[in-house]
Amino acid sequence: MLKLSGIRKSFSDGANRINEVLRGVDLSVQSGEFVAITGVSGSGKSTLLNILGTLTEPDGGSYFLGNENMLTAGVDRSALRNRDIGFLFQQHRLLPQLTALGNVLLPTLANAKKPDKEQIEYAEELMKLTGVEGVAAQYPATLSGGEAHRVALCRALIMKPKILLADEPTGQLDLETSAQIAALLAATNCELATTIVMVTHSEEMARFADKIYAIREGVLE
Ligand code: ADP
Ligand code: MG
């Protein structure tokens, strides 16, 4: 389903020193798996996730999502991304001027189309599944942290992505809400058969996944 081989990424720190963040990352994720990648702060978790999300280009290595070579020059990465990849970030990044339902439906507007009836029904179904159907008409400023995160999860799933990428999805939430979100990811993985890759510094969050890898010294173990 997803295969990374020999992924390398370095950054220059501005003073001519090269920071080799990823030094040959190999990762295979099967369809329907829930994978967690742990690592301390600064170990390269976000860099790796941004490469998976085609937001960052690696210096070397290969990346296939299904049969698609995600690193081929000239492919329309933003279109691939919108269709195949859902993102859940540490901050929920909801648009303040749209209702919760409007935010969930936002990715369906990418081709300047209106959401169709099926998409609106699916948005409602996702909001029910994640327990936020009651706040559909509310604006982000009026939502609790946990509610906003659930809405962001629905938005990440509305296009039925091949894969959901989550970067420290519970980083700013209290422990109880964090556990609820992690359990919700596990439920999403089961009920919608969504493939999930989550990076986190928290062993407790990682426990909700089927497989746990650690990133250390630029490689996965
Ligand atoms: P994590 O998410 O595990 O905390 P990151 O992937 O964000 O780690 O960062 C890994 C290392 O790469 C850090 O040392 C960070 O400073 C560096 N880094 C990340 N992005 C950039 C960038 N755009 N430019 C320079 N250095 C970066
Ligand atoms: Mg990070």
Side-chain angles (χ1 to χ4, degrees):
M1 158 89 194
L2 178 159
K3 195 163 169 53
L4 288 183
S5 307
I7 292 289
R8 288 179 287 105
K9 182 72 184 176
S10 301
F11 295 106
S12 154
D13 70 355
N16 295 325
R17 267 197 309 270
I18 301 293
N19 180 3
E20 289 182 58
V21 178
L22 303 178
R23 304 175 181 214
V25 169
D26 301 320
L27 172 68
S28 289
V29 180
Q30 306 303 318
S31 183
E33 266 185 340
F34 181 4
V35 166
I37 299 173
T38 63
V40 297
S41 175
S43 58
K45 300 182 299 294
S46 293
T47 302
L48 179 59
L49 206 77
N50 288 340
I51 289 170
L52 287 174
T54 72
L55 299 166
T56 297
E57 222 180 304
D59 300 330
S62 68
Y63 171 18
F64 280 84
L65 183 57
N67 292 324
E68 201 110 40
N69 181 347
M70 301 299 273
L71 301 178
T72 307
V75 292
D76 183 352
R77 264 181 266 285
S78 64
L80 279 184
R81 193 155 56 223
N82 191 57
R83 192 192 66 199
D84 291 342
I85 302 175
F87 287 95
L88 191 63
F89 298 98
Q90 186 169 3
Q91 278 100 12
H92 56 69
R93 303 190 192 182
L94 298 177
L95 291 186
Q97 67 272 34
L98 295 179
T99 63
L101 179 62
N103 269 284
V104 173
L105 286 168
L106 193 61
T108 70
L109 306 175
N111 306 316
K113 283 190 319 196
K114 276 201 197 160
D116 56 38
K117 187 163 160 275
E118 208 175 297
Q119 287 170 320
I120 294 170
E121 280 171 9
Y122 190 52
E124 287 165 353
E125 185 186 328
L126 287 172
M127 292 182 87
K128 204 169 225 171
L129 179 75
T130 54
V132 285
E133 75 273 30
V135 301
Q138 284 177 227
Y139 288 85
T142 69
L143 301 176
S144 71
E147 286 167 345
H149 250 73
R150 286 156 190 260
V151 171
L153 176 60
C154 296
R155 180 185 55 183
L157 294 171
I158 188 73
M159 301 299 279
K160 303 187 179 174
K162 285 187 185 149
I163 187 154
L164 175 70
L165 301 177
D167 190 350
E168 310 247 14
T170 61
Q172 304 216 315
L173 301 172
D174 59 74
L175 211 62
E176 198 188 324
T177 314
S178 296
Q180 285 172 11
I181 298 285
L184 202 52
L185 285 176
T188 301
N189 170 250
C190 279
E191 286 172 39
L192 304 176
T194 310
T195 308
I196 302 178
V197 178
M198 170 177 77
V199 302
T200 176
H201 67 273
S202 157
E203 306 280 340
E204 281 170 4
M205 292 304 123
R207 281 210 313 259
F208 286 88
D210 307 320
K211 273 195 192 162
I212 306 177
Y213 299 96
I215 182 164
R216 216 166 280 143
E217 310 277 326
V219 295
L220 283 192
E221 20 188 83

